[in-house]
Amino acid sequence: MTTTGEKHVTARGGPWWWARRRSAVLDVGSGVVSALECGLEGIPFARDAGIPVAAGVLFGVLAGSVLVVRRRWPIAVVLVTIAVTPAQMAFLMGIVGLYTLAASELPRRIIGLLAGMSLVGTLIVTFVRVRQSMGRGDVDLGDWFVPFAAITTSLGLTAPPVLLGLYIGARRRLMESLRERADSLERELQLLAERAEERAEWARNEERTRIAREMHDVVAHRVSLMVVHAAALQAVARKDPEKAVRNAALVGDMGRQALTELREMLGVLRAGGEATRREPEVPLAAVGVAAAAAASRAVDEEGPCLSDLDELIGQSAAAGMVVDLSVEGEARSYPPEVEQTAYRVVQEALTNVHKHAAGAKTHVRVAHRVSEIAMQVENEPPEAAASSARLPSGGNGLVGMKERVSALGGVFVSGPTESGGFRVSAVIPAA
C-alpha cells in the first residue's frame, strides 16, 4: 500500500514549518555553522570598515543565522547573501541558499533573476578584490588574471548549486508525480476490485438461479408424472389389476430416471465445488454450465429438442391426459438453446396441467415462422369429478419459463382463459 499525497501533507513530525525533525536539525546545524563562518569573516570586515570588531562579529553572526529559514523563505536567504557579498562573507549561506532556491517550487524567472544577481555581485566583488590585491603587489600574474579569477570564482560559487538545485527539484517533482499516479492507480484498482466482486456476486446468483431452474425442469416433470401415475394406480388397483401393473412399471421407470438425473446433477455440483476449493480461480459459471449440460444429457445426448415433443406428449398421455398436438409451418433446425428452451416451455406447461388441472384436455400448438418459433399450451377447465393428484407447487415454473424465454430475447405470456382454463404462450427468435 502506498501513502497518498494527503497523508504526506498531514504526516508532519517536525516543529514549525519543518516536515521532519531531521530537516529541522539539519537547518539549525547549517545555520550555526554559517553564523560561525560569518562571525569569523566579520573580524576583517570590521577592520576594513573601521568599526568595532564586536560589531562586525555580531553583524556576521546575525547575517549567517538567516540560513535557518532557508526552507521557509529561500528568497530572503539569497537576498541577504547578495547584500553581504561586498563584505566577503556568507560563502556557505550563498551556496546553500542558491541550491534551496533552485530546488523550490518558485517560478523559473525568479530563480534565474536571483541567481543572475548573485553571479553579478560575486563577479564585481571578486574583480575589485583581485585588482586591489594586484595593485598592492600581493599577486603579479598579468592583467588577464583579474577577469579570469572574477569569472571563475563567480561561476564556481553560482552555477553548481543552481544546477544541482534544479536537478533535485525536478527529481522531487517527478517522484511526487509518480507517487500521485501510484495512489490514483491504487484507488482505481480498488474500485475495479470492488466492481469485479460485485460482478462475481451477481454471476454467482445468476448461476444459482440457473442451476435451480435446470433441476426444477429436469426433475419436477418426472416426479409430477410419478405422482399422477401413483394416484391412478391407487384408483384402479382393485378394478383393473393389469392397468395397475402397467402404471406401477411406469412409476418405477420414471422414478429411476428421476434418480439418475438427480444423481448426475448433484455429482456435477459436487465435482464443481471440489474444483473450486482446489483452485479458487474456477468460476461458479463453470459449475452452472456443467449442470446445464448434465441436465441436457439426462434427456438426450444432444439435449432436448423439438423432435422430442412427441415422446414428451406421449408420457403425459400415458398418465391419463388428453393432449392434442398441432404443428404449423415447416419444421427446421434451430440453435440448441432455442430448441431446448421451446422444449422446456412445453414440458413445464404440461407439468402445471398435471398439478392444477388433472384430467383437463390440453392443446399444444407449435408454429414455425420465418424468423421465430412460437408455442402455446392451453388446457380446458378440469372436470369437476376429475381426481386431483394434490401436487405441491413452489411457484417457480412460470418464473423459470419467463427467464429462459427473456434471456433469448423472446416474449412470454401466461394467464387464465375466459373459459376457465389456462394458457401459456411464448415466442422465441430463431437466431
Side-chain angles (χ1 to χ4, degrees), residues 54-242:
V57 173
L58 180 60
F59 173 76
V61 170
L62 293 177
S65 61
V66 177
L67 188 60
V68 176
V69 298
R70 68 182 184 92
R71 297 178 192 268
R72 184 72 171 181
W73 296 293
I75 296 178
V77 174
V78 175
L79 290 177
V80 171
T81 303
I82 296 173
V84 300
T85 299
Q88 286 190 311
M89 62 174 61
F91 294 101
L92 175 63
M93 185 170 67
I95 294 174
V96 177
L98 287 175
Y99 162 78
T100 306
L101 178 70
S104 65
E105 301 294 333
L106 293 173
R108 292 295 178 86
R109 62 179 182 276
I110 297 179
I111 296 175
L113 177 61
L114 293 176
M117 292 173 59
S118 178
L119 175 67
V120 172
T122 306
L123 178 65
I124 294 175
V125 171
T126 304
F127 184 88
V128 173
R129 292 293 183 177
V130 173
R131 191 175 184 84
Q132 289 177 352
S133 298
M134 292 185 65
R136 291 194 301 267
D138 297 338
V139 180
D140 188 11
L141 296 175
D143 295 337
W144 63 269
F145 182 72
V146 176
F148 173 77
I151 295 174
T152 303
T153 303
S154 59
L155 288 176
L157 294 177
T158 305
V162 171
L163 294 178
L164 180 62
L166 291 175
Y167 168 75
I168 296 298
R171 183 175 179 273
R172 183 183 301 146
R173 287 187 290 272
L174 176 61
M175 295 301 296
E176 288 293 333
S177 175
L178 293 177
R179 184 180 294 109
E180 291 177 0
R181 185 176 299 178
D183 296 337
S184 177
L185 290 176
E186 182 181 2
R187 288 190 291 269
E188 291 180 2
L189 288 176
Q190 291 176 352
L191 181 60
L192 289 176
E194 293 175 358
R195 292 181 177 176
E197 182 63 25
E198 292 177 358
R199 288 195 295 268
E201 182 64 25
W202 176 83
R204 285 192 290 269
N205 293 333
E206 287 293 319
E207 290 307 318
R208 290 191 188 99
T209 304
R210 180 179 178 180
I211 293 171
R213 186 167 57 241
E214 291 292 340
M215 295 185 68
H216 177 274
D217 291 342
V218 171
V219 180
H221 178 70
R222 297 194 184 276
V223 174
S224 299
L225 292 179
M226 289 171 56
V227 176
V228 172
H229 281 292
L233 176 63
Q234 183 181 6
V236 302
R238 296 181 180 179
K239 298 179 182 180
D240 192 348
E242 294 182 0

Side-chain angles (χ1 to χ4, degrees), residues 225 229 310-323 350 354:
L225 292 179
H229 281 292
D310 292 333
E311 180 182 355
L312 178 66
I313 293 175
Q315 293 175 355
S316 296
M321 179 187 296
V322 179
V323 188
L350 293 176
H354 284 296

